[in-house]
Amino acid sequence: MMPEKQALTTTSPVRGPVSGGHASNALAAGLTRALGPRKVLSSVSERLNYRYDAIQFGVTPLCVVLPESTADVVAVVRAARAAGVPIVGRGAASGLSGGAAPMVEAVVVSFTRMTRLEIDAARREARAQPGVITLKVSEAARPFGLVYPPDPASFRTSTIGGNLGENAGGPMCFKYGVTGDYVKALEFVDADGGVHTLTRDAYDLAGLLIGSEGTLGLITDATLRLSTPAPYTRTLMAHFPEVGQAAEAVSSAIAAGAVPSKLEFMDQACTNAIEDYLHLGLPRDAGALLLVDTDGDDLETVEEERDLVERACLAAGGQVRRAHGDAEAAALWQARRSVSPALGRIRPQRMNEDIVVPRSALPEVVREIRALGDASGLTLVQFGHIGDGNLHPNILFDPRRESAEAVHELAHKIALVAIRHGGVLSGEHGIGTMKRDFMRDAVDPVTLGALRDVKRALDPAGALNPGKILPDGEGMEHG
Ligand SMILES: Cc1cc2nc3c(=O)[nH]c(=O)nc-3n(C[C@H](O)[C@H](O)[C@H](O)COP(=O)(O)OP(=O)(O)OC[C@H]3O[C@@H](n4cnc5c(N)ncnc54)[C@H](O)[C@@H]3O)c2cc1C
């Protein structure tokens, strides 16, 4: 099997072995009989396409099932359980921590055909099956004057099931919250094939499922809260000689009462990568760049908030450019949206870290990570949702020239910086395979024990997405 420390790309994941023989045939044949041939993929060429997510190549699945209903999911779980074969849930496989990549021979349950979506405007709710593409929820809600705020940059491809699996966030989450904040109810299939409907009350079991990366149950339906979009938005870009000044501006603006709807940060290396790609006229010599939106129902208040942020940026030594009109605002945000393709031009692969640190620690954290990157000889850029202290240091590499071990070692050092400054390993991408080795550094043994107990309580055989979250292959004792 591919070394799990290897990985990491949004373009071409590192290769692992092909697998699946007799067991595959027997299980696939049984599932084909139960569900019909349209819903089961068993040829090697088909199965090969389901062994990776955006950063991790895993093991070729024994077979792939494309359920169309909760009843289909129940049938797969029961058949896999009877055969002693683990199950890996999969949405669009855009995950950045290895969550949807099978790490052992497994049945992959791909939710892409479960796409029913209903809007109940009176209740301000969307009812979505897990395969619904994130953007479709807002598109369907728009004619009713409603919106679904969680906005991962991948929203054109990611699914609601995957967003729930990772508790996805995005630029708007500082003000509007992450996926889990919009969940009113969930339906999920447990490791025995039992179907549960959960609301957000006693024990909040739905909250436990959200962000559990398919390791506790398979989500088959979600009731999501919708809200009304803010009619007014104002945009500005600020740039600073030093990262510390940008962080200071953010902290003082927030302390003064500003709650921007978007508050994004890029370091100089990231800005230059975008500038090389798009020639937008971004300030190449700036040590840090902020992109800020303020929004709301009352234009005067929105502009006052924008002015407050602007004053904080100027006071911290920054220079500010206001966007005049929607087109200029869109042009500024194009810079942020272009991070992924811009970085893809530098190296074919990248490891996207996702640490969260206290905002006050950001200047030091960014500097320490920069120094680690320089010392490693690898290419590193930093950007993120600075309002939440959520930083995405990206290690860019070419596997033909730079070793996966060196990348993993640098990622580990970055994780340790976050932990030392009172931060956490993941803000929105999850732990998956990528950060599970770091869990022992981040989580004390007693708490790790509690996580293990939760996993055992809901999945005693370790059949659901083994090899994820818990360190050192814990939870892989399926069968
Ligand atoms: C260019 C790019 C930009 C991105 N930007 C962001 C961003 O701004 N914010 C952010 O949060 N993420 C971002 N991501 C990461 C990724 O898009 C999100 O994690 C997203 O939520 C994954 O959705 P998916 O449908 O691709 O899920 P997958 O990758 O297929 O699966 C993710 C996890 O969820 C589990 N899962 C899938 N479906 C179910 C289900 N029905 N029940 C239970 N578990 C399930 C899987 O087993 C896996 O563990 C980005 C990724 C890329 C490539």
Side-chain angles (χ1 to χ4, degrees):
M1 194 171 74
M2 179 201 79
E4 288 164 29
K5 286 174 186 166
Q6 200 149 0
L8 319 174
T9 179
T10 53
T11 48
S12 54
V14 180
R15 284 179 188 292
V18 176
S19 67
H22 301 303
S24 162
N25 297 342
L27 184 61
L31 284 166
T32 304
R33 275 195 302 278
L35 300 174
R38 232 178 66 78
K39 298 179 189 170
V40 182
L41 307 178
S42 55
S43 74
V44 173
S45 58
E46 289 168 322
R47 290 183 286 124
L48 277 171
N49 294 324
Y50 291 83
R51 61 173 166 155
Y52 57 83
D53 71 357
I55 63 138
Q56 174 86 53
F57 249 106
V59 177
T60 307
L62 289 173
C63 68
V64 178
V65 179
L66 302 160
E68 292 175 7
S69 65
T70 300
D72 287 349
V73 178
V74 170
V76 186
V77 170
R78 293 204 169 135
R81 185 179 155 80
V85 172
I87 298 154
V88 179
R90 179 181 161 113
S94 70
L96 292 172
S97 59
M103 300 318 292
V104 295
E105 293 188 329
V107 179
V108 165
V109 180
S110 172
F111 286 98
T112 47
R113 286 191 191 158
M114 288 183 69
T115 55
R116 197 181 59 235
L117 174 62
E118 291 157 12
I119 304 294
D120 185 333
R123 298 174 71 124
R124 294 185 170 213
E125 283 176 6
R127 181 112 186 256
Q129 285 188 318
V132 170
I133 302 286
T134 314
L135 176 63
K136 298 273 182 201
V137 181
S138 270
E139 283 182 349
R142 195 173 300 132
F144 301 98
L146 297 168
V147 69
Y148 176 64
D151 62 340
S154 50
F155 70 161
R156 288 175 201 284
T157 48
S158 72
T159 65
I160 290 298
N163 293 169
L164 292 163
E166 304 290 4
N167 198 11
M172 288 187 42
C173 294
F174 174 60
K175 180 169 182 180
Y176 290 103
V178 295
T179 302
D181 296 315
Y182 288 84
V183 175
K184 294 178 93 169
L186 286 183
E187 178 188 85
F188 84 100
V189 176
D190 70 21
D192 290 329
V195 181
H196 306 258
T197 305
L198 307 170
T199 47
R200 306 300 303 265
D201 37 35
Y203 291 122
D204 192 13
L205 191 49
L208 187 59
L209 263 286
I210 297 162
S212 67
E213 305 181 22
T215 64
L216 302 179
L218 295 173
I219 296 164
T220 44
D221 195 275
T223 305
L224 305 168
R225 194 160 57 81
L226 301 172
S227 58
T228 43
Y232 300 107
T233 303
R234 289 293 177 262
T235 300
L236 65 80
M237 179 181 80
H239 58 96
F240 304 82
E242 267 251 324
V243 172
Q245 293 164 298
E248 192 187 315
V250 168
S251 291
S252 60
I254 292 172
V259 188
S261 55
K262 296 182 186 170
L263 188 42
E264 296 289 303
F265 154 81
M266 290 176 211
D267 76 354
Q268 187 170 14
C270 189
T271 304
N272 277 311
I274 295 165
E275 200 47 27
D276 289 344
Y277 176 42
L278 290 178
H279 313 292
L280 295 171
L282 301 175
R284 282 182 176 277
D285 54 348
L289 194 136
L290 293 180
L291 281 168
V292 187
D293 267 3
T294 58
D295 75 356
D297 297 332
D298 173 58
L299 181 57
E300 204 176 324
T301 314
V302 172
E303 292 192 335
E304 274 170 17
E305 195 173 27
R306 187 263 324 268
D307 295 348
L308 195 159
V309 176
E310 187 176 282
R311 281 196 298 279
C313 291
L314 294 171
Q319 293 183 50
V320 173
R321 175 178 151 195
R322 287 184 184 183
H324 297 286
D326 292 348
E328 198 177 340
L332 288 180
W333 281 107
Q334 193 190 357
R336 176 62 180 87
R337 277 200 312 278
S338 308
V339 168
S340 279
L343 299 184
R345 297 171 74 242
I346 297 175
R347 289 285 192 283
Q349 299 196 6
R350 67 188 168 110
M351 181 180 198
N352 191 334
E353 273 277 11
D354 176 38
I355 56 172
V356 183
V357 296
R359 263 196 314 271
S360 57
L362 270 168
E364 213 174 323
V365 166
V366 170
R367 262 195 301 273
E368 281 183 37
I369 292 174
R370 173 82 273 139
L372 287 173
D374 292 346
S376 73
L378 293 162
T379 306
L380 181 133
V381 307
Q382 304 188 68
F383 59 93
H385 315 304
I386 195 169
D388 310 287
N390 185 194
L391 204 58
H392 295 312
N394 271 230
I395 307 166
L396 315 180
F397 68 104
D398 182 340
R400 292 164 301 188
R401 288 188 282 140
E402 289 149 329
S403 79
E405 285 70 26
V407 174
H408 187 76
E409 195 184 321
L410 178 54
H412 191 192
K413 286 179 179 166
I414 291 170
L416 293 176
V417 170
I419 294 163
R420 201 171 57 249
H421 285 276
V424 297
L425 296 179
S426 173
E428 54 185 21
H429 297 165
I431 301 297
T433 54
M434 186 178 126
K435 282 163 272 183
R436 64 171 214 182
D437 290 348
F438 313 154
M439 283 289 275
R440 285 193 202 286
D441 302 309
V443 182
D444 66 81
V446 175
T447 308
L448 209 46
L451 297 184
R452 258 184 234 115
D453 290 346
V454 169
K455 169 73 174 166
R456 284 196 196 116
L458 285 169
D459 180 23
L464 297 176
N465 210 359
K468 310 295 161 65
I469 300 179
L470 294 170
D472 300 334
E474 288 174 40
M476 291 181 75
E477 57 282 355
H478 55 87

